[in-house]
Amino acid sequence: MRSLDETLSVLQDELHSVEAQLSEPDVASDLKRLRDLSRRHKELSEINVAWNDLKSAQGDLATAKEMFSETEGADRESWRDEVNTAEARVAELEQELETLLLPHDPNEGRNVILEIRGAEGGEEANLFASDLSEMYRRYAALRGWKVEVIEERASDQGGLDEAIYLIKGDDAWSRLAFEAGVHRVQRVPVTEAKGRVHTSSATVSVLPEAEELDVDINPSDLKIDVYRSSGPVDKVSTPRTRRFALRTCPRAWWFRCKTRRVSFKIAPRR
């Protein structure tokens, strides 16, 4: 079994190898390999920095202990404080390094698909889902993450039947993964005329963004369904009212979009 120093030495060699691979010209054209190498480089760099900091702190501790044993009087008490400070720093860095060496979640560092849906409670559940949506979007802004709206379906009274977001951030998965589940609230809803407390819930799903995949689809297998909203629509707003569903038959591939930007890309191919 390798010692800690031997393990860290091997990881340092791997860091040098990853850095060499990142400098190769052909890596820039392979996005998947570039992404994987960049993630591994980030992990190894953090471990290497923590290791170097720990070795420096251990050296400071050894120096402080030596000076403490060789001095007397007031200087001795000063070096005692230095020893205590160095010991606390070493313990802190050892804990940090142990954490970095733990096995990583394979989804760590990936973007997140966040889905929010109203559940039990009728329209109040949809209003609660809207509150959750606003909460997560504000939290994403505080963390410096980028939020892209995949789909938002409003309810009759300003809530959300369903909301799906793509959240981009290095630590988005590690901070949001455990948000998945049923969220419950007890309050007097705006939909309640008599002031009674209601219990409502909303579901939150947190999924890692799927890796890009090349798929060979025969054009003859494609089937495109177009959905249009009812009611008066002028020519300017028509693209915003359409929804496209792209299916393959007989294969089980199905895509759907409602945004204006994607609709224009699909429409000419129909």
Side-chain angles (χ1 to χ4, degrees), residues 121-153:
E123 185 59 27
E124 165 61 10
N126 295 333
L127 293 171
F128 179 43
S130 179
D131 292 341
L132 288 176
S133 170
E134 181 66 18
M135 178 189 72
Y136 286 122
R137 297 183 71 165
R138 290 188 180 184
Y139 182 64
L142 290 174
R143 299 295 309 175
W145 301 336
K146 183 179 179 181
V147 179
E148 294 182 7
V149 179
I150 297 177
E151 182 173 356
E152 278 186 341
R153 191 167 67 248

Side-chain angles (χ1 to χ4, degrees), residues 5 39 123 187 208 211 218 223 265:
D5 286 344
R39 287 176 180 171
E123 185 59 27
R187 63 185 181 184
E211 298 284 354
N218 189 337
K223 181 177 180 181
K265 288 183 178 180

